[in-house]
Amino acid sequence: TALARFRQAQLEEGKVKERRPFLASECNELPKAEKWRRQIIGEISKKVAQIQNAGLGEFRIRDLNDEINKLLREKGHWEFRIKELGGPDYARIGPKMLDHEGKEVPGNRGYKYFGAAKDLPGVRELFEKEPLPPPRKTRAELMKSIDAEYYGYRDEDDGILEPLEQEHEKKVIAEAVEKWKMEREARLARGEEEEEEEVNIYAVNDEE
């Protein structure tokens, strides 16, 4: 259209400032992708400097903090796009100065608080409750606590298990004897004679 041609002519003359694409995937030129990344870094730096001023008020500080986090995510998209277009991997080799300015709340992965936002009501308490990671034990320290009790060899020494086992053993024996008596009475009632083989427990067998 005539409007599109007019705008293109103005872009070529440098009278109209080119707008950054909304999606990084829409950019197919590496130099332009690098340009947009540098522009975003400039915006982040400006906002990080602004948010240091605690006199801006809670609402403005929260808005600034949200804008910085949004720009950081956008910077990550452009760095990924630059890598796709054959450029350097900024996520790996790029400076992390701006990212390290912010502090991340445990359990709130990805969202950071910058400058005066770290002292906002409700945010300060989150940082104060940050749990310290438990110290990791070495293999030698773990082996110190392994003994005979670890493998269950001292289970009978507690004075609880052995009486329970004895009681259970008596119960099982009584049930077995009762079952044998009932079977014996049933056989006698059917007229079956019991054949008991006498065994001499003291006999010695010469055969090997």
Side-chain angles (χ1 to χ4, degrees), residues 130-136:
E130 182 176 353
L132 292 173
R136 294 189 63 181

Side-chain angles (χ1 to χ4, degrees), residues 21 53 71 83 105 135 137 143 146 162 188 199 205:
N53 183 8
L71 286 168
K83 185 182 176 183
V105 176
K137 290 187 177 181
M143 293 299 290
I146 296 178
E162 196 168 348
L188 290 174
V199 179
N205 189 0

